[in-house]
Amino acid sequence: MRFPSFPTLTRVFYTINNTARFTNSPASQKALAPFTRGTVLKSMPTIPFLGSLFTSSAKDMTEYPVQKSDDEWRAVLNKEQFRILREKGTEAPFTGAYDKHSPSAGTYACAACAAPLYRATHKFKSGCGWPAYFDSIPGAVVRHTDRTFGMERTEIVCANCGGHLGHVFKGEGYPTPTDERHCVNSISLRFREEGEGEGVGKV
């Protein structure tokens, strides 16, 4: 029997995890009751291991220059942006707008506060399903160690507003100057052409 490819497994894990989290909330159960009663989706339990692959539950106590309440963030972010940037969620692999985006110049900024995070020249093709960068603009990204569920990962957030970007991985053998892979959600980013709106965002 042929073992499923990594992209296939990633999609399956993501789908199961996000379906379970959504259908287990009281609000979603009420909304989906007419459609999911008696189905597999309704009975599917939350799976902590899968959740650990796609979310970061470490609490961030850092004080960032841009401070907003959840209600204030909801006023400027759409639901998916809020889920990922403020609730540390993850978009589905191979679906992000910047996964295969390969400009020769320009800057990737934080979608929440417009602070510049990555140069176009930092981006490389990793095949992981999310935008990958081998480095960031100095001081633009803050790292936090996440040791939840018995595994150690390094979460990366915007240094200006604390918005969740993704995770960084080291020593994977990519032919880049740093041998690091910043695995970032496209939804956490906004691309700006060279010379367009440079500077730290203030929202």
Side-chain angles (χ1 to χ4, degrees):
M1 182 175 71
R2 185 177 180 183
F3 192 76
S5 65
F6 175 76
T8 298
L9 287 174
T10 304
R11 289 189 186 99
V12 170
F13 287 163
Y14 175 87
T15 302
I16 293 174
N17 174 60
N18 281 272
T19 300
R21 280 174 31 209
F22 180 71
T23 57
N24 274 323
S25 68
S28 60
Q29 285 182 356
K30 182 178 179 180
L32 293 175
F35 310 98
T36 62
R37 190 171 287 112
T39 65
V40 175
L41 292 179
K42 174 121 179 186
S43 62
M44 186 178 292
T46 300
I47 306 175
F49 171 70
L50 295 181
S52 71
L53 292 177
F54 296 103
T55 62
S56 175
S57 59
K59 190 171 184 179
D60 185 2
M61 303 300 292
T62 308
E63 290 289 328
Y64 298 98
V66 173
Q67 293 287 325
K68 287 180 178 290
S69 67
D70 283 349
D71 287 342
E72 288 174 323
W73 280 121
R74 286 190 177 95
V76 296
L77 302 174
N78 62 40
K79 289 183 179 180
E80 189 67 354
Q81 287 175 325
F82 185 85
R83 183 183 73 83
I84 291 174
L85 282 158
R86 307 313 307 175
E87 297 182 326
K88 303 180 184 296
T90 302
E91 67 192 4
F94 303 100
T95 63
Y98 300 130
D99 179 27
K100 296 180 180 180
H101 190 236
S102 301
S104 58
T107 302
Y108 293 90
C110 176
C113 72
L117 302 171
Y118 300 97
R119 302 293 185 195
T121 50
H122 292 146
K123 198 171 189 295
F124 71 100
K125 295 180 180 179
S126 70
C128 70
W130 291 273
Y133 306 85
F134 64 79
D135 204 354
S136 62
I137 294 173
V141 171
V142 174
R143 305 184 183 203
H144 299 293
T145 300
D146 179 6
R147 295 189 176 90
T148 55
F149 299 104
M151 58 192 300
E152 182 173 310
R153 297 179 300 165
T154 302
E155 181 194 8
I156 46 178
V157 303
C158 171
N160 191 50
C161 71
H164 175 73
L165 303 176
H167 290 82
V168 61
F169 302 92
K170 301 188 64 163
E172 295 178 317
Y174 288 104
T176 62
T178 62
D179 197 14
E180 286 192 346
R181 174 172 61 92
H182 291 229
C183 185
V184 183
N185 291 287
S186 290
I187 290 175
S188 298
L189 304 171
R190 280 289 180 272
F191 179 72
R192 297 194 301 227
E193 299 289 345
E194 189 170 12
E196 176 189 345
E198 292 293 334
V200 174
K202 295 183 183 299
V203 295

